[in-house]
């Protein structure tokens, strides 16, 4: 049995939640995706890289709110910028000047992008980018990597329930790192594919976070160009942890459109659609709006976030502490005689146990033991590090992970030779 903390206050809150909220907590934050009894269900406070549950237990957080907290929770510079804007105006009858400043900054730093528009979440950003591609090409079909996550809208909802099959009628799928599978789609649907949407690493649920090969990305780029399709990068999850100019710049590839959300405003709700000049008129033609779409506080927070990412050389820092975490986990797992796979960009790492063979039994034991000792590692979703994770935080988490590996050995036995 893994180490368990007392979660009685959080559990009582969950009982209340179940009476007034379907499922108590829904979506990806449902307790059903974590290990029952081992993880908290709610968080009542957060600072830097640490979160506190309603029972007062503190955790070094390797989820960063599923990505947004790129500088850390409650970053003082971002919070001050947000507060300044809040005093001026947040949701207004017309947009605030900061919208133009942020658009200029994003266009300035993002390779190949000439305009920016704003929304509230990644799902809206991805769906809207496809609408722009359809408007630009006069075509309907969209190609995406099978199983990839692009949000909750009907065309790509991972669970499909509640949406008619027709919503997926225009969606084609190809395989990650398999350029030939995309070639086959273009051949079979010649002149009909409006857009190809890809992510900077493999985003298939419950799958190792495989990185792209350079050949794959080059080929996607070439195929989009030669077939007149729009290449869209869904940078919602990876954005601002790999390259400040857009994640695919790491591999030297430039898309036609980029969608950001999670980390763009250090926790404030914002999504950004960026596009090349050739898509400016179609972007203007697709009616997009939202009561809160131009909310000014997140825009100001985003401007400050981007400036601080640059000033603090945050991407280099996150890569470095991410490598420290991955190397430390690999060493400790190997010392325990357990084979693990560490995948993904170092700043968005993911670990699976080879002996789990595509399942997550050992991951659940490991993450449960770590949660009981104050480190929050999700059992089957990729993790995130932030600018607020110091070497000392990583080392403290590694000391906990060592006990996590020992618990895996105790519960599941040694790996078979
Ligand atoms: C790659 C990717 N695209 C789109 C989305 C959807 O973003 P949101 O949850 O903000 O709607 C997510 C969210 O996890 C994501 O990881």
């Amino acid at each position: 049995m893994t180490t368990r903390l007392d979660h009685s206050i959080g559990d009582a809150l969950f009982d209340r939640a179940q009476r007034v909220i379907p499922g108590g907590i829904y979506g990806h934050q449902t307790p059903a995706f974590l290990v029952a009894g081992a993880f908290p269900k709610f968080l009542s406070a957060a600072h830097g890289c640490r979160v506190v549950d309603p029972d007062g237990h503190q955790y070094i957080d390797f989820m960063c709110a599923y990505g947004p907290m790129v500088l850390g929770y409650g970053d003082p510079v971002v919070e001050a910028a947000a507060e300044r804007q809040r005093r001026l105006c947040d949701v207004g009858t017309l947009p605030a000047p900061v919208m133009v400043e942020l658009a200029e900054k994003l266009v300035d730093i993002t390779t190949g992008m000439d305009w920016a528009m704003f929304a509230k979440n990644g799902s809206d950003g991805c769906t809207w980018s496809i609408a722009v591609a359809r408007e630009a090409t006069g075509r309907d079909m969209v190609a995406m990597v099978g199983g990839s996550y692009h949000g909750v809208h009907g065309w790509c909802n991972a669970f499909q329930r509640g949406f008619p099959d027709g919503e997926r009628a225009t969606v084609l799928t190809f395989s990650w790192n398999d350029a030939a599978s995309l070639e086959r789609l273009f051949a079979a649907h010649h002149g009909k594919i409006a857009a190809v949407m890809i992510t900077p690493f493999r985003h298939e649920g419950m799958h190792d976070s495989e990185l792209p090969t350079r050949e794959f990305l080059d080929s996607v780029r070439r195929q989009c160009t030669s077939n007149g399709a729009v290449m869209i990068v869904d940078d919602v999850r990876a954005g601002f942890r790999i390259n400040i100019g857009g994640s695919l710049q790491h591999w030297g590839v430039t898309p036609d459109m980029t969608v950001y959300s999670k980390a763009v405003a250090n926790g404030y709700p914002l999504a950004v659609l960026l596009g090349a000049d050739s898509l400016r008129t179609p972007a203007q033609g697709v009616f997009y709006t939202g009561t809160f779409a131009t909310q000014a506080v997140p825009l100001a927070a985003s401007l400050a976030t981007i400036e601080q990412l640059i000033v603090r050389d945050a991407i280099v820092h996150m890569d470095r502490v991410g490598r420290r975490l991955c190397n430390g986990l690999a060493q400790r797992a190997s010392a325990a005689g357990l084979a693990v796979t560490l995948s993904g960009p170092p700043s968005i790492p993911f670990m699976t146990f080879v002996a789990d063979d595509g399942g997550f039994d050992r991951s659940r034991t490991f993450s449960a033991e770590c949660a009981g000792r104050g480190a929050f590692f999700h059992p089957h979703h990729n993790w995130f590090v932030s600018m607020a994770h110091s070497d000392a935080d990583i080392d403290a988490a590694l000391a906990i992970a060592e006990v996590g590996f020992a618990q895996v050995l105790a519960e599941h036995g040694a790996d078979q030779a």
Side-chain angles (χ1 to χ4, degrees):
M1 175 76 168
T2 50
T3 306
R4 297 284 159 107
L5 300 170
D6 173 19
H7 293 298
S8 47
I9 297 175
D11 288 348
L13 192 59
F14 187 65
D15 287 343
R16 281 169 54 199
Q18 282 183 300
R19 276 177 231 128
V20 288
I21 299 168
I25 302 173
Y26 44 85
H28 63 289
Q29 292 167 326
T30 168
F33 286 175
L34 294 167
V35 183
F39 281 84
K41 297 185 175 67
F42 296 93
L43 297 177
S44 31
H47 184 72
C49 69
R50 280 165 209 265
V51 293
V52 182
D53 72 22
D55 289 85
H57 309 300
Q58 196 179 100
Y59 308 82
I60 306 170
D61 179 20
F62 287 98
M63 294 312 291
C64 298
Y66 287 81
M69 312 317 301
V70 70
L71 293 172
Y73 293 95
D75 182 81
V77 180
V78 175
E79 293 310 314
E83 192 47 37
R84 272 196 304 279
Q85 184 61 47
R86 191 176 288 116
R87 281 200 216 104
L88 295 170
C89 179
D90 185 15
V91 178
T93 305
L94 296 172
V98 67
M99 183 170 92
V100 183
E101 280 176 64
L102 179 60
E104 285 171 348
K105 173 62 88 181
L106 285 160
V107 164
D108 184 39
I109 63 171
T110 319
T111 306
M113 301 293 125
D114 300 304
W115 53 263
M117 293 169 82
F118 301 100
K120 285 283 92 176
N121 60 59
S123 302
D124 285 357
C126 288
T127 298
W128 182 32
S129 71
I130 284 170
V132 172
R134 286 180 173 141
E135 172 72 7
T137 58
R139 305 169 180 176
D140 285 343
M141 297 196 125
V142 174
M144 63 175 266
V145 171
S148 191
Y149 189 73
H150 297 299
V152 293
H153 290 180
W155 67 272
C156 63
N157 188 290
F159 297 95
Q160 298 187 33
R161 286 160 73 173
F163 296 99
D165 292 344
E167 292 223 19
R168 294 176 164 252
T170 54
V171 180
L172 307 165
T173 56
F174 61 104
S175 303
W176 180 256
N177 266 343
D178 181 357
S181 66
L182 180 60
E183 267 166 37
R184 286 194 290 276
L185 288 187
F186 272 121
H189 303 274
H190 186 69
K192 294 193 174 138
I193 299 179
V196 176
M197 180 172 276
I198 59 163
T199 51
F201 62 87
R202 191 171 183 177
H203 279 19
E204 220 167 294
M206 314 242 185
H207 197 283
D208 286 333
S209 302
E210 232 174 275
L211 295 176
T213 63
R214 173 76 200 251
E215 296 69 42
F216 173 63
L217 292 179
D218 278 343
S219 177
V220 173
R221 176 64 279 176
R222 257 196 324 274
Q223 291 188 52
C224 285
T225 305
S226 61
N227 288 286
V230 177
M231 179 177 174
I232 306 173
V233 170
D234 173 357
D235 221 341
V236 168
R237 191 179 309 186
F240 299 110
R241 279 189 171 82
I242 299 179
N243 191 302
I244 198 79
S247 294
L248 290 202
Q249 291 311 304
H250 182 75
W251 293 272
V253 173
T254 302
D256 302 308
M257 272 198 274
T258 299
V259 187
Y260 282 130
S261 186
K262 290 181 180 286
V264 72
N266 204 50
Y268 285 87
L270 184 66
V272 181
L273 176 56
L274 293 158
D277 226 2
S278 56
L279 296 163
R280 190 185 293 265
T281 306
Q284 205 177 335
V286 178
F287 183 66
Y288 185 81
T289 187
T291 306
F292 304 106
T294 61
Q295 184 190 8
V297 167
L299 300 173
S302 178
L303 204 52
T305 300
I306 292 168
E307 280 165 5
Q308 291 304 307
L309 285 168
I310 295 169
V311 167
R312 299 186 210 171
D313 214 359
I315 291 179
V316 169
H317 173 88
M318 289 187 281
D319 184 76
R320 194 179 61 72
V321 293
R323 282 177 200 277
R324 189 178 183 95
L325 176 68
C326 292
N327 294 339
L329 288 170
Q331 276 162 13
R332 281 160 182 79
S334 155
L338 296 166
V340 294
T341 303
L342 282 140
S343 61
S347 54
I348 315 172
F350 188 44
M351 184 179 78
T352 52
F353 288 82
V354 174
D356 271 350
D357 196 20
F360 289 92
D361 288 350
R362 287 165 185 76
S363 296
R364 289 169 66 79
T365 301
F366 172 81
S367 65
E369 183 63 31
C370 290
R373 292 173 178 273
F376 198 122
F377 292 111
H378 198 288
H380 57 73
H381 188 289
N382 68 249
W383 310 329
F384 299 86
V385 298
S386 75
M387 182 69 209
H389 287 84
S390 67
D391 286 353
D393 296 317
I394 300 293
D395 294 348
L398 287 172
I400 292 172
E402 194 164 322
V403 190
F405 289 127
Q407 188 62 29
V408 170
L409 270 185
E411 275 187 35
H412 302 272
D415 285 357
Q416 304 296 320

